[in-house]
Amino acid sequence: MLYKEIHIGKFIKERVEDKEITIERICNFLNTDEEVVKRMYNSKSMDTELLLRWSKLLEYDFFRLYSSHLILYAPPSGANKNPEKSEKIPYFRKNIYTQEIKEFIIKRIQSGEMTHAEVIKEYSIPKSTLHRWFQKINSTK
């Protein structure tokens, strides 16, 4: 799965089809009509409150798609090692690489699409972290 270009409507439509949820149930849950739902399927983005409702209905965290994008394509700057913590907004200590992200990166290396060095440079993944991922793969084989 590529996280660079996110078309949230397509992901939602795919999940609806996988879960085989009827349009009537969707319209009821979202308190809208079929035409609006179809427009949502064609939307590249949508309001977060609406996305939260879709996430609940479809039992899938669509926000992780965006988190994965941030981890892969907008890693934190190395210049600010001690970011200011705010009491008004949550602070996340480090990036958490989901299994999907690990598999995505490992697949790119194993296919020859990217080298270890390219992955480290482009995604700012520490060399030791990448090494641990491959150690785990080798130990499970």
Side-chain angles (χ1 to χ4, degrees), residues 70-138:
L70 287 173
I71 289 168
L72 291 172
Y73 299 103
S77 167
N80 193 3
K81 292 289 182 187
N82 297 317
E84 291 180 29
K85 296 179 184 177
S86 168
E87 293 180 19
K88 296 177 184 173
I89 188 167
Y91 170 73
F92 301 105
R93 281 193 343 235
K94 63 179 183 176
N95 288 330
I96 298 172
Y97 300 102
T98 64
Q99 191 59 38
E100 291 87 3
I101 289 177
K102 292 176 188 176
E103 289 170 2
F104 173 78
I105 298 292
I106 290 167
K107 184 178 175 187
R108 292 192 85 179
I109 292 171
Q110 287 177 335
S111 71
E113 194 175 333
M114 293 181 87
T115 65
H116 282 75
E118 290 171 331
V119 166
I120 292 166
K121 184 178 179 186
E122 181 163 342
Y123 300 125
S124 299
I125 296 173
K127 186 177 183 179
S128 59
T129 301
L130 201 55
H131 181 70
R132 268 194 311 275
W133 294 352
F134 277 95
Q135 275 184 323
K136 284 183 182 179
I137 289 174
N138 293 335

Side-chain angles (χ1 to χ4, degrees), residues 52-87:
L52 182 60
R53 291 192 57 94
W54 275 110
S55 294
K56 290 176 181 179
L57 174 65
L58 300 175
E59 300 171 344
Y60 184 86
D61 184 358
F62 289 103
F63 294 97
R64 283 214 182 190
L65 298 170
Y66 294 102
S67 297
S68 297
H69 174 90
L70 287 173
I71 289 168
L72 291 172
Y73 299 103
S77 167
N80 193 3
K81 292 289 182 187
N82 297 317
E84 291 180 29
K85 296 179 184 177
S86 168
E87 293 180 19

Side-chain angles (χ1 to χ4, degrees), residues 23 33-43 54:
I23 191 72
D33 60 45
E34 190 173 337
E35 196 57 44
V36 173
V37 172
K38 287 180 180 178
R39 281 198 305 265
M40 287 183 215
Y41 291 158
N42 293 320
S43 296
W54 275 110

